[in-house]
Amino acid sequence: MSGTLHIGLISGVFLLKFFRDRQNSYMHTGLTCRWSGRRRPCARQLFVRQKIQMHKILVSSCLVGLPIRYNGRDKPTNAEIVSRWRNEDRLVHICPEVSAGFNTPRPPAEITNGDGVDVLSEAAMVIEATEADVTKLYIHGAEMALQLAVRHNVKVALLTDGSPSCGSSYIYDGSFTGKKKKGIGVTTALLEKNGIKVFPDSQIEDADEYLRRAENST
C-alpha cells in the first residue's frame, strides 16, 4: 500500500511539473516570452507596447492639403513628414474656424488689444475686416479643437502660424495692415492651457522630433 502511494506521489509530481512547464511556455515575462526553455522577444507584447506608445498629433487641416483657409487656399508644409504621419495613423486634423461654422472663403480676422490668452479671459476680441465681432465663434472653434484632442489623447499639435486661431509664435496686430506681433491664437491658448504642446508649421521637424522623444521616454 505504501509502495503504491509512493509511486502515486512521484507520478503526481511529474504531472504537476509537466503542466507547469507547458503553462510557462505560453507565459509572457516583461517583453520576452519563454518557448521550449529559450527566451526570445515576444511579438505580441512588442505589438501591444508599440500601439500604446504611438502618439497622435493634432494638425491644422490646411497643412494636410485641405483648401479651407480664409482665402480658400491650403498651406502645404513638409509633405514627407505629413505623409509619414498619415501612414503611421497619427494625424488628427481640424480647422477651428470651419468647425465653428465659418464659410470658406471668409473675411480675414485679427485679434485686437491682446492675443488668444486675452481673448479667453475676455480682455480682447477677434474682429473681422468687416468689423464684425466673431470672438464667440473663435472660442467655440478652440473648444471643438480641444475636445478632438482630448478624444484622441493628443499631447502635441502642429498649427498654422499667424492665424487668430492657430498662431503660436506670432499673430497679426489687429490693424489689418499686415503688421505682425508676438502672441498666440485662441485655439493655441486653449490647447496650451490644457497641457498640449503647440508647434508652428515652420517647426514641423521639431514637432516630429518631439513625438519621437515622447515615445522613447514611455
Side-chain angles (χ1 to χ4, degrees), residues 25-81:
S25 69
Y26 293 99
M27 285 178 61
H28 298 332
T29 307
L31 287 181
T32 62
C33 295
R34 293 202 294 179
W35 183 263
S36 301
R38 293 183 302 168
R39 297 176 70 86
R40 63 178 177 80
C42 176
R44 181 180 177 185
Q45 286 290 88
L46 289 174
F47 174 75
V48 171
R49 184 176 174 84
Q50 183 182 25
K51 293 295 286 185
I52 292 173
Q53 283 186 327
M54 185 66 72
H55 288 236
K56 301 279 188 177
I57 180 166
L58 185 72
V59 179
S60 295
S61 294
C62 60
L63 298 179
V64 299
L66 298 182
I68 55 176
R69 298 190 72 203
Y70 75 94
N71 56 10
R73 300 177 182 176
D74 64 351
K75 189 181 181 183
T77 185
N78 188 311
E80 181 181 349
I81 291 179

Side-chain angles (χ1 to χ4, degrees), residues 83-100:
S83 178
R84 173 159 50 78
W85 286 347
R86 183 180 289 110
N87 292 336
E88 294 172 343
D89 194 29
R90 293 181 187 273
L91 285 181
V92 178
H93 66 83
I94 189 173
C95 175
E97 290 99 327
V98 172
S99 297

Side-chain angles (χ1 to χ4, degrees), residues 134-179:
V134 288
T135 304
K136 289 183 179 180
L137 284 173
Y138 271 76
I139 293 174
H140 180 52
E143 291 170 344
M144 294 188 74
L146 178 61
Q147 289 172 12
L148 184 64
V150 170
R151 190 182 313 141
H152 291 276
N153 196 29
V154 167
K155 302 299 181 185
V156 59
L158 182 82
L159 303 182
T160 305
D161 214 3
S163 159
S165 282
C166 300
S168 58
S169 72
Y170 76 92
I171 56 175
Y172 291 92
D173 71 349
S175 66
F176 295 95
T177 60
K179 186 177 179 180

